[in-house]
């Protein structure tokens, strides 16, 4: 099929949604994607590019001349165009911007002026705002009277503004439609509780949408004037993206999804492996301190990884819950103490249970009751340390304004490895020899 | 403040959004929450309960008589009421259902008849549907003419249905408002591409909303009749919830967030710790096979955890990316082979880099070039195994219809631990002794 027949390809793709065409292109091997895009011809709507995975889109755009990229951007809403331009490298970005129409260029450059991942980058500038003294009939006449292209069709709520263009309320279209023409808009609008400052981080914007069940939100500049609007469809992607980032960071895999280039994957993961090598060496140094003890009793070397592995496991459980609670603003200063106490209680109970199991097992297997006591004590201690480290380290990093998802794992597993080996081998050298 | 003065509490809470009041209650210690709820009195809107975290809400509802719960449910949309009722235990559920008005009771019981986490549980039954032969003016008159309570206000799109009540198109309110009264709705509606069957899993529903940027979706029964609607505000919570579930499951912490009861947390986490104990024992048995080798060269015991730790780390990186790509439908049968080959390439490059580092370090530190060669070879082998296991195990579990997020970690780390110890100690006993 892919060999030659463009018309066939276009006929097959015709009934598909833009998002499905984007998926289809992603499924192809990187070297075949350009050929497929070329075969699709005019069916390659600008929206298809907007729906594509970042890395796949970058590859595809790299192969197009700036003029063609500019033409594609012209067909998109500002927010989607910005999302594409911001990922280009500097030279390409300038070339593409130069090829754009002056007004589109100004809009995109203004958006690029806001910090990355801020509300300013996310917002679209096309929105409907009406003065507070209009009534329902006048709003409908205004919407109906305008030229088809003069107003956006992409809105779910209308903003009501005062004389200085400050948003004072939001009008749901359903309320507008259900009210008589003579009703003043001020009477059916909802008072504005959820203005988004233009510099707000996208993660926080997403949390607001989630918390208040918003469909759209007004974006205001420093002087509280209405400058743009963010709609919920963009937020759906951000929630997923932020959660995915946290998952990958916790595992040391960083940003990259499955479409990332091999070179980038290697670079990102190798960094964490090297850091992990450093912490593993520290743990080994601790073992080295007790080389003499191990030489005298090889059972210690056999049991040693169990203490570290379970400590690491218990720590990861606590850490993950803590990191996500911090990311979703559930863990605040007022419940920190309560959460820590709860984690300590969980750690003691689970530590006792696991300590009994492994202590009994080791004592019977090696026929050495004292060895059982030593590993049980070390295990209880390490699971306790794990619970404390799992909750305290992410909180400390968060207070120091470091993203706990990125760096917690390293510190937490180092703590449980080092403390686990130290307690187990240290106790053994005192009690058993 | 909390001591006595109800009026003061109510005055302070008056300007808050229902979601903020819910947050406020969550921030209090469990034993104080009922007192706060009582002090709030009438300000405790049914919506506040709907906004609350599951576990906090359960605790609060346990303290209320069934009649009062039924009254609260009567003030909610069907989907929110169902979300509350489905979490109650069987006896409470029956008591509450008995106390409900007959029509509300029927609606909730019908929803409960659908499987958990299905579209049927999520949907609301109040929606606006119009026949395909109406024009814009007639739709507006219909919306305006109905009694205030006869139609829901909570809609963003209108469904266009044929004579058999099959949805054939969706009408955005913005298009409705921007068209002249004489335009037939069939002309401005969008053809229906995204019907949701009533039994579809909520995770899949969320992926659809995300992919197509939907605001609402029509839910149809087995005979394709329109039976309900799902709106995007519910989807925002589900995306977050499903991602959180995956994160926690990957770490062995299971469902529970920070509001979960200590008893439940202990039960969930202990299960995984015991499973982890089992796999750690298997790894120890492998070490035990080489007890004689370790006795002769204690350096092996010192270096052993490094091989296992880095293998585990590399495996977790690959596994996390794979699990999320499966959960978001990015990894499909057509790119599985490509993904596996890419992961193998990454594993070989990273394995070589780490093997060189650790091999050189060990050779110099212990002044034993052959020990360096042994650990380098074992490390390369284990990172290769890690890459393979990290991508193959989740894919295999997914094909076997097991959620890869729940069980991948256990299998993957067991594989790298066992293989790491086996390769390192096995090679050492052949080469070094």
């Amino acid at each position: 099929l892919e060999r030659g027949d463009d018309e066939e390809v276009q006929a097959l793709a015709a009934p598909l949604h833009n998002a499905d065409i984007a998926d289809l292109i992603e499924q192809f091997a990187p070297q075949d994607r350009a050929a497929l895009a070329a075969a699709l011809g005019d069916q390659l709507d600008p929206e298809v590019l907007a729906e594509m995975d970042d890395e796949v889109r970058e590859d595809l755009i790299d192969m197009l001349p700036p003029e063609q990229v500019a033409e594609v951007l012209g067909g998109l809403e500002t927010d989607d165009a910005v999302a594409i331009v911001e990922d280009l490298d500097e030279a390409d970005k300038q070339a593409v911007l130069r090829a754009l129409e002056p007004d589109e260029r100004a809009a995109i450059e203004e958006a690029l002026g806001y910090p990355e991942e801020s509300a300013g980058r996310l917002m679209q500038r096309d929105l409907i705002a009406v003065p507070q003294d209009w009534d329902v009939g006048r709003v409908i006449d205004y919407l109906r009277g305008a030229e088809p292209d003069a107003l956006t069709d992409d809105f779910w709520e209308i903003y009501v503004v005062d004389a200085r263009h400050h948003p004072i309320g939001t009008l749901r279209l359903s309320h507008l439609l259900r009210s008589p023409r003579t009703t003043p808009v001020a009477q059916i609008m909802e008072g504005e509780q959820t203005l988004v400052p233009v510099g707000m981080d996208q993660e926080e914007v997403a949390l607001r949408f989630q918390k208040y069940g918003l469909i759209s939100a007004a974006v205001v500049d420093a002087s509280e004037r209405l400058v743009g609007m963010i709609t919920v469809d963009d937020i759906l992607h951000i929630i997923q993206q932020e959660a995915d980032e946290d998952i990958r960071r916790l595992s040391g895999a960083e940003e990259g999804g499955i479409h990332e280039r091999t070179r980038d994957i290697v670079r990102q993961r190798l960094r964490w492996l090297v850091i992990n090598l450093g912490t593993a060496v520290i743990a080994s140094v601790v073992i080295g301190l007790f080389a003499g003890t191990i030489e005298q009793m090889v059972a210690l070397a056999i049991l040693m990884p169990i203490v570290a592995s379970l400590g690491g496991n218990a720590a990861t459980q606590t850490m993950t819950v803590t990191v996500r609670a911090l990311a979703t603003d559930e863990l605040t200063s007022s419940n920190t103490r309560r959460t820590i106490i709860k984690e300590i209680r969980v750690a003691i109970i689970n530590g006792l249970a696991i300590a009994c199991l492994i202590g009994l097992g080791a004592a019977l297997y090696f026929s050495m009751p004292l060895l059982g006591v030593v590993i049980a004590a070390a295990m209880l201690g390490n699971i306790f340390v794990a619970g404390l480290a799992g909750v305290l380290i992410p909180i400390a990093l968060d207070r120091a304004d470091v993203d706990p998802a990125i760096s917690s794992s390293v510190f937490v597993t180092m703590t449980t490895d080092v403390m686990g080996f130290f307690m187990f081998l240290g106790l053994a050298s005192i009690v058993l020899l």
Side-chain angles (χ1 to χ4, degrees), chain A:
Chain A
L1 196 75
E2 245 302 68
R3 316 283 155 246
D5 194 349
D6 289 3
E7 270 177 44
E8 176 84 24
V9 173
Q10 291 185 24
L12 282 171
L16 295 178
H17 189 283
N18 288 331
D20 290 317
I21 298 183
D23 274 3
L24 187 67
I25 296 179
E26 286 174 12
Q27 296 294 323
F28 274 74
Q31 61 275 18
D32 298 334
R33 284 179 194 142
L36 175 61
L40 284 168
D42 284 350
Q43 276 181 24
L44 198 67
D45 192 277
E47 297 278 348
V48 173
L49 275 178
E51 296 283 353
M52 233 175 256
D53 190 90
D54 291 356
E55 288 104 22
V56 177
R57 185 173 57 211
E58 268 176 66
D59 285 348
L60 205 56
I61 284 185
D62 278 349
M63 291 182 279
L64 298 176
E67 293 71 32
Q68 208 172 330
V69 177
E71 196 181 312
V72 167
L73 295 181
L76 290 172
E77 301 269 350
T78 334
D79 57 335
D80 292 330
V82 169
I84 294 180
V85 174
E86 68 184 0
D87 288 338
L88 299 177
D89 51 44
E90 205 44 48
D92 288 348
K93 196 188 284 180
Q94 293 311 327
V96 167
L97 283 174
R98 246 178 283 121
L100 277 172
E101 303 283 320
D103 56 332
E104 282 163 7
R105 181 178 165 176
I108 291 180
E109 280 183 337
E110 192 191 320
L112 288 176
Y114 298 115
E116 254 183 85
E117 310 214 323
S118 71
R121 293 269 178 116
L122 275 183
M123 71 184 185
Q124 61 188 66
R125 301 155 60 87
D126 297 325
L127 54 81
I128 314 282
V130 299
Q132 56 184 330
D133 54 359
W134 283 17
D135 62 21
V136 168
R138 186 146 176 208
V139 174
I140 295 181
D141 292 342
Y142 165 68
L143 291 174
R144 235 181 241 155
E147 289 291 303
D149 286 342
L151 293 180
T152 175
D153 275 338
D154 190 16
F155 64 96
W156 308 97
E157 289 172 321
I158 291 176
Y159 300 104
V160 180
V161 292
D162 64 14
R164 293 166 307 162
H165 214 66
H166 293 185
I168 54 168
T170 306
L171 192 56
R172 283 185 171 210
L173 298 187
S174 59
H175 293 168
L176 186 69
L177 279 162
R178 301 220 40 214
S179 305
R181 288 182 66 91
T182 52
T183 316
V185 293
Q187 190 184 312
I188 52 169
M189 75 183 187
E190 280 155 54
E192 199 56 75
Q193 292 179 311
T194 50
L195 296 178
V196 173
V198 82
M200 188 184 255
D201 186 79
Q202 64 173 20
E203 189 160 10
E204 210 169 318
V205 177
L207 283 176
R208 273 213 196 180
F209 267 78
Q210 230 174 341
K211 181 165 169 190
Y212 300 114
L214 303 180
I215 297 297
S216 74
V219 181
V220 292
D221 64 13
S223 56
E224 302 233 306
R225 287 165 49 88
L226 179 66
V227 291
M229 152 177 99
I230 296 176
T231 50
V232 71
D233 49 321
D234 295 321
I235 297 299
L236 288 177
H237 286 108
I238 288 168
I239 294 178
Q240 179 87 63
Q241 193 184 316
E242 297 281 342
D244 270 350
E245 255 180 43
D246 271 9
I247 303 186
R248 295 199 195 115
R249 283 174 176 170
L250 275 171
S251 77
E254 295 231 5
E255 332 281 280
I258 61 164
H259 295 298
E260 193 102 13
R261 293 191 201 91
T262 308
R263 182 160 34 92
D264 295 329
I265 302 181
V266 167
R267 196 172 38 75
Q268 291 167 355
R269 295 197 195 162
L270 192 52
R271 185 167 42 201
W272 285 106
L273 288 177
V274 170
I275 294 174
N276 193 256
L277 179 59
T279 61
V281 166
I282 296 177
S284 287
V285 169
V286 173
I287 302 176
L289 296 178
F290 300 97
T293 316
I294 295 173
E295 239 164 4
Q296 292 178 52
M297 191 181 288
V298 77
L300 296 178
I302 296 173
L303 293 173
M304 207 167 66
I306 297 182
V307 178
S309 165
L310 277 150
N313 199 241
T316 306
Q317 292 177 335
T318 308
M319 176 186 75
T320 307
V321 172
T322 309
V323 166
R324 285 306 292 168
L326 286 167
T328 54
D329 280 352
E330 281 182 279
L331 188 58
T332 59
S333 52
S334 65
N335 59 10
T336 299
R337 216 176 125 250
R338 190 147 28 100
T339 305
I340 295 173
I341 292 172
K342 198 196 267 181
E343 288 296 343
I344 291 177
R345 230 184 295 154
V346 171
I348 292 175
I349 301 174
N350 282 349
L352 280 174
I354 295 291
C356 288
L357 272 177
I358 185 70
L360 217 68
L364 292 175
Y365 185 80
F366 292 100
S367 310
M368 287 179 63
L370 263 184
L371 180 60
V373 174
V374 165
I375 195 170
M379 189 67 92
L380 176 59
N382 203 23
I383 289 181
F384 183 77
V385 167
L388 267 188
V391 65
L392 291 182
I393 291 179
I395 291 177
L397 289 168
D398 188 59
R399 297 242 165 120
D401 266 336
V402 179
D403 182 349
I406 296 187
S407 30
S408 290
S409 290
V410 178
F411 290 115
V412 169
T413 35
M414 189 179 72
T415 309
T416 53
D417 277 1
V418 167
M419 291 303 294
F421 291 137
F422 189 78
M423 287 189 287
F424 179 52
L425 298 175
L427 266 179
S429 70
I430 297 169
V431 176
L432 296 176
L433 299 181

